[in-house]
Amino acid sequence: MQALKQALKTIMSHKLSTGIFWLGSAQVLGRIVRLGSSIIIARLLTPEIFGQVAIILTCFELIHTPTKRISSAMLIAIPDSEFNTSQRSANQLNWIACVGAFLLMAILSVPIANYYQQSELILPMMVMASSYLLLPLGMLHAAKNLKENNMRVVGSAVLWQTIFDSLLTGTLALLGLGIWAIIIPKVLVVLIWVAIHRRATVINYPTQSARALGRLSTPGIQVGLADLSIAMRQNIDYLLVGYLLGVEALGVYFFAFNASLGISLGLVQSYGTALYSNLCEAPADKRSEQYVSSLKLIFMIALPIIGLQAVLAPLYVPFIYGSQWVDAGALPIFILLCLSGLFRPLGEATSQLLISMGRSKLNLIYNLGFTAALTIAIVIASYFGLLMIALAILLLHLIAMPLFSFYIYQTLQPTRANRVKKSPREAHYEY
């Protein structure tokens, strides 16, 4: 009991815990609301439709990822005075990136549909792509809220997005709209996100030279590529399972992945968002200390949640989602993927640390290497079925994430000589 009280005291006293509280609670509350729609669609939609949705959302996420922080990563890190003079260029960059993303997904819809021999994918992909054109309306406002560490607003945007998405998805699924029950809400909720961020902050667009655009675009592209490598790492399994085992097997895997990792991935995402803002506020020579402290915090939160979820899965999966998913072999896959969530905060934290310290290239190299290793592991495991794929994913996260985190932490530490000879004020990190 005393240990529990001490753990809670540690969590609540940590500065980062405020950001995680607002973002994480939004994710958890949203997940509770989403549970209702998840039950409905799991019972009404077939594995084939889940497979089609996986293809569309994976393509959307891979194209969307490089645009998410193309301006915000730099805006969050720069001084307030430079933020004010960079707003017009950031807005231009956001529009260029999002219009390009829309065109790319619309063009790719035809060859992807032809490859999977699913012509019905074309229209949903184009509708999904239209959401890119709504994002620039709120991207600059969201960046300002993140810069000001206004995680209450950021969390509210996530929460109300999720609530609206879940309620509309469940309603449309009951009305028999099939795949459209998932696609239509995903587009409309962008307007909720935009409205909340715009209401919370005011943006002015001062006149400035075109040089500011270049000053933002170069680091933005670097961060975007690093984020894309992370998205590839997080979504390569969908692409490979669909390619190697077919759309129906992808549907089973997609269900198991989202049902098992929905809460933990939401928590990890919230943690990464809050951590990056906090790291940018801290002096460079204190960031690795804050990194370690944040990892202790996130594991104190995540370990009991993921542990209980994995232990209780045999009881609640068939009861909540239906026995058809157990019959399809989703339960052991669910448990293995759930356990892999224990190690994902390590990769997220280390990536945010590297980006905050201007080491996007190293972050990119690691994520590309991990993606390559994951691809090889999945291809080999696919010869033995979905269960072995899930086991391979767990083992790779178990081995690679801790090793990467430990290596980066050691690399960014000051040398022993510097610690002895120099005062804390004079000490610096050798990169």
Side-chain angles (χ1 to χ4, degrees), residues 230-245:
I230 296 173
M232 284 296 297
R233 162 167 62 83
Q234 294 173 340
N235 291 277
I236 192 67
D237 48 351
Y238 291 155
L239 299 176
L240 291 174
V241 170
Y243 174 77
L244 297 170
L245 300 179

Side-chain angles (χ1 to χ4, degrees), residues 354-376:
L354 289 173
I355 293 172
S356 73
M357 303 188 82
R359 303 294 297 272
S360 295
K361 183 177 180 180
L362 179 57
N363 184 42
L364 176 62
I365 292 172
Y366 159 71
N367 281 289
L368 289 176
F370 187 91
T371 302
L374 189 62
T375 300
I376 294 171

Side-chain angles (χ1 to χ4, degrees), residues 67-93:
T67 71
K68 284 181 180 178
R69 297 198 293 176
I70 196 161
S71 66
S72 66
M74 185 65 176
L75 290 174
I76 293 170
I78 62 177
D80 291 343
S81 58
E82 293 185 36
F83 179 92
N84 294 331
T85 59
S86 300
Q87 293 173 2
R88 184 178 296 277
S89 292
N91 190 52
Q92 294 171 353
L93 186 60

Side-chain angles (χ1 to χ4, degrees), residues 39-71:
I39 295 170
I40 293 172
I41 63 175
R43 291 179 178 272
L44 294 180
L45 303 185
T46 64
E48 184 177 5
I49 292 180
F50 268 86
Q52 292 173 347
V53 170
I55 293 169
I56 296 171
L57 296 185
T58 299
C59 292
F60 175 83
E61 185 63 24
L62 290 176
I63 296 172
H64 175 44
T65 295
T67 71
K68 284 181 180 178
R69 297 198 293 176
I70 196 161
S71 66

Side-chain angles (χ1 to χ4, degrees), residues 254-332:
F254 183 72
F255 163 79
F257 186 96
N258 283 275
S260 63
L261 287 170
I263 294 177
S264 56
L265 287 184
L267 188 61
V268 170
Q269 184 181 16
S270 301
Y271 163 65
T273 301
L275 177 61
Y276 181 72
S277 295
N278 279 270
L279 288 173
C280 288
E281 288 182 350
D285 61 345
K286 298 294 184 183
R287 289 179 184 174
S288 63
E289 296 177 17
Q290 190 163 350
Y291 160 79
V292 173
S293 178
S294 74
L295 283 176
K296 293 178 181 177
L297 175 66
I298 191 63
F299 278 113
M300 290 172 67
I301 298 171
L303 185 60
I305 294 175
I306 296 175
L308 283 174
Q309 191 179 3
V311 169
L312 299 177
L315 299 177
Y316 72 81
V317 169
F319 176 75
I320 293 178
Y321 297 106
S323 59
Q324 70 272 23
W325 293 105
V326 177
D327 297 337
L331 181 58

